[in-house]
Amino acid sequence: MRLRKAMAVAVTTIALGLGAVACNDEVPATSAASAPAAAPAASHTPVPAGASSTGAGARTSAKPGTPAGTAKPTADASSRCHTGDLTVDVQLQPSSILPDSAMVLVTNKSSRTCTVYGYLGYGGLRADNSPMVVKTNRVAYPGAPMATTLKPGDSAFAGLKWSSCDKADPNCNVLAGLTVTPPDETTQVTANVLSVDGKPVDQLLVSAAGFTVGSLQPTHEGVDFTS
């Protein structure tokens, strides 16, 4: 676009100012700094067996969930991973203290190479499989998102944490499952939620504060919030 004289410069300045506000809305003020944090030391965080291969049992759907978020620049539409290309495993992590946490693996099940970049969106499923909106808060943990190119069978990783609650509490989110929206996508994949010992989990109790969502990274080291 060609800029013309002082009036165009002023309009551009205002537009940039508004863009800065939108960026702040995308990652809440309570988030970690956008600059990459120092990588935590390697941990013995459990990773599902076959993390570099295609996950099993996930399915795509058009149920509503929390929209996924990206940090600019977004992956090109022709190269980014679409919902139908991916499976998602949510691996619960051992912890003797609250909050509860999980490592999330996003695996390319397709026959093409694609890229993920940004944050995952999350939604809940009730026992009758109906969707439930769950509050989410994105944080740049363990650092800013990193564009990750996934060959068939490769995985990207992100952390997820929440506080548990009493099932009898009317504000407690009683979830029978999770849906995940990949960055820049509008449809969801139903995640495989796995316990520490790798067995399927059929219920999660999530407080009204909802989920804290970490950024997508090319390696699992440091992404877990208990690291």
Side-chain angles (χ1 to χ4, degrees), residues 3-14:
L3 300 180
R4 295 182 179 179
K5 298 182 180 181
M7 182 177 295
V9 172
V11 171
T12 302
T13 303
I14 294 172

Side-chain angles (χ1 to χ4, degrees), residues 124-225:
L125 291 174
R126 298 183 177 88
D128 63 1
N129 215 40
S130 62
M132 176 188 297
V133 175
V134 181
K135 182 179 179 181
T136 60
N137 177 44
R138 298 173 193 147
V139 296
Y141 182 90
M146 295 184 65
T148 303
T149 299
L150 302 178
K151 294 179 180 179
D154 285 350
S155 299
F157 306 85
L160 182 68
K161 72 175 179 177
W162 64 95
S163 293
S164 190
C165 52
D166 187 338
K167 189 175 180 179
D169 183 346
N171 294 316
C172 182
N173 296 299
V174 181
L175 308 181
L178 287 177
T179 59
V180 177
T181 309
D184 296 308
E185 294 293 295
T186 58
T187 56
Q188 293 74 47
V189 57
T190 299
N192 304 303
V193 183
L194 306 171
S195 65
V196 174
D197 59 6
K199 296 180 180 178
V201 173
D202 58 12
Q203 185 177 91
L204 288 177
L205 303 178
V206 181
S207 74
F211 292 119
T212 297
V213 179
S215 57
L216 280 166
Q217 301 291 325
T219 177
H220 68 85
E221 293 184 359
V223 302
D224 179 42
F225 283 99

Side-chain angles (χ1 to χ4, degrees), residues 19-57:
V21 173
C23 180
N24 288 336
D25 286 341
E26 184 173 309
V27 181
T30 55
S31 304
S34 59
S43 66
H44 50 76
T45 304
V47 179
S52 61
S53 62
T54 302

